């Protein structure tokens, strides 16, 4: 019995000691800092500033990442990004290689029996009013080119290409593969686009041959 009583007293003493230790730890527990830590706020401000100034830089020097402005062969300089002003023929070649090359081929010879050639073509080197109309509204039906007959369709590109791009690609076609015809100006394309605004569907060769007569 005395042993049991002694055990209860020791247990009680132990509980009191534990409570005292917890109370002491609670009293000496460091208080939580009030507000927000300064370092994360500083980092957030730095990141926002970087994003802001990067956006301004791209807006001024990216040239909208236009493939018709940048020259992939130009060597970069230490002064910063190089924006190269290409000639109309160089810009036109980029448009041709993107859109026209599948049908008319890199050689300008077209596909025999299917797509007419542009090299040596009397259409490509003829009245610019005709070829501008072909590019804007397309062409459908038979056409005689280089003493050969073709009967296919060319899709209209007026809604795809800007006036400047149409002028550039036609200038390239009229001065490539031995062709020797004057350049096409964007202002001319703009006037032709306005003149045929009411035209429905692709042109036919018969319609186009009436132009300039």
């Amino acid at each position: 019995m005395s042993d049991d009583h002694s055990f209860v007293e020791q247990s009680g003493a132990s509980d009191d000691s534990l409570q005292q230790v917890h109370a002491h730890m609670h009293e000496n527990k460091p208080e939580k800092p009030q507000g927000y830590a300064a370092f994360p706020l500083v980092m957030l401000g730095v990141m926002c500033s970087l994003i802001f100034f990067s956006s301004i830089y791209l807006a001024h020097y990216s040239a909208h990442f236009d493939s018709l402005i940048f020259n992939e062969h130009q060597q970069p300089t230490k002064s910063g990004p190089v924006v190269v002003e290409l000639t109309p023929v160089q810009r036109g070649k980029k448009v041709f290689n993107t859109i026209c090359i599948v049908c008319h081929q890199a050689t300008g010879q077209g596909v025999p029996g299917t797509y007419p050639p542009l090299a040596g073509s009397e259409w490509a080197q003829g009245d610019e009013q005709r070829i501008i109309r072909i590019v804007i509204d397309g062409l459908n039906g038979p056409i005689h080119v280089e003493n050969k007959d073709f009967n296919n369709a060319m899709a209209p590109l007026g809604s795809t290409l800007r006036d400047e791009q149409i002028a550039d690609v036609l200038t390239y076609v009229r001065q490539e593969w031995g062709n020797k015809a004057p350049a096409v100006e964007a202002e001319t394309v703009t006037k032709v686009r306005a003149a045929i605004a009411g035209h429905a569907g692709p042109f036919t060769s018969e319609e186009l041959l009436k132009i300039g007569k």
Side-chain angles (χ1 to χ4, degrees):
M1 183 74 178
S2 59
D3 291 340
D4 293 340
H5 180 70
S6 183
F7 175 76
V8 171
E9 288 181 350
Q10 289 177 5
S11 298
S14 298
D15 291 342
D16 291 340
S17 300
L18 289 172
Q19 290 177 2
Q20 290 176 5
V21 170
H22 281 294
H24 181 70
M25 291 175 64
H26 183 71
E27 290 173 359
N28 294 314
K29 185 177 181 181
E31 294 185 3
K32 258 178 127 181
Q34 300 296 321
Y36 297 96
F39 183 73
L41 293 177
V42 172
M43 289 302 297
L44 179 61
V46 171
M47 293 300 296
C48 290
S49 299
L50 285 174
I51 294 172
F52 176 74
F53 287 110
S54 297
S55 301
I56 294 177
Y57 182 86
L58 288 175
H60 282 82
Y61 299 107
S62 68
H64 305 292
F65 300 102
D66 193 335
S67 62
L68 302 180
I69 295 177
F70 283 102
N71 184 352
E72 64 271 20
H73 302 297
Q74 179 71 29
Q75 296 297 322
T77 64
K78 294 182 179 179
S79 60
V82 177
V83 178
V84 180
E85 187 64 33
L86 303 179
T87 66
V89 171
Q90 290 172 323
R91 294 195 303 265
K93 183 176 182 179
K94 285 179 174 286
V95 176
F96 182 88
N97 288 341
T98 301
I99 298 176
C100 315
I101 196 170
V102 174
C103 296
H104 295 291
Q105 305 298 303
T107 59
Q109 296 298 326
V111 178
T114 306
Y115 300 112
L118 298 175
S121 167
E122 65 272 28
W123 286 85
Q125 300 177 90
D127 193 322
E128 63 182 7
Q129 301 281 333
R130 297 173 182 170
I131 56 173
I132 291 173
R133 282 167 166 78
I134 291 175
V135 174
I136 292 176
D137 271 3
L139 177 68
N140 194 23
I143 186 171
H144 192 73
V145 183
E146 288 285 280
N147 297 319
K148 295 180 181 178
D149 293 319
F150 298 86
N151 192 348
N152 211 314
M154 174 173 168
L157 299 174
S159 60
T160 302
L161 299 177
R162 303 188 305 272
D163 292 349
E164 295 82 1
Q165 292 174 311
I166 293 174
D168 289 341
V169 73
L170 289 179
T171 296
Y172 169 73
V173 166
R174 286 161 67 85
Q175 298 181 2
E176 184 69 4
W177 313 298
N179 291 348
K180 296 179 181 179
V184 175
E185 300 296 331
E187 292 78 8
T188 305
V189 178
T190 301
K191 292 177 181 178
V192 172
R193 189 191 290 273
I196 64 174
H199 185 268
F203 283 95
T204 63
S205 60
E206 289 81 2
E207 287 181 287
L208 295 170
L209 288 172
K210 295 176 183 178
I211 297 172
K213 289 187 177 180

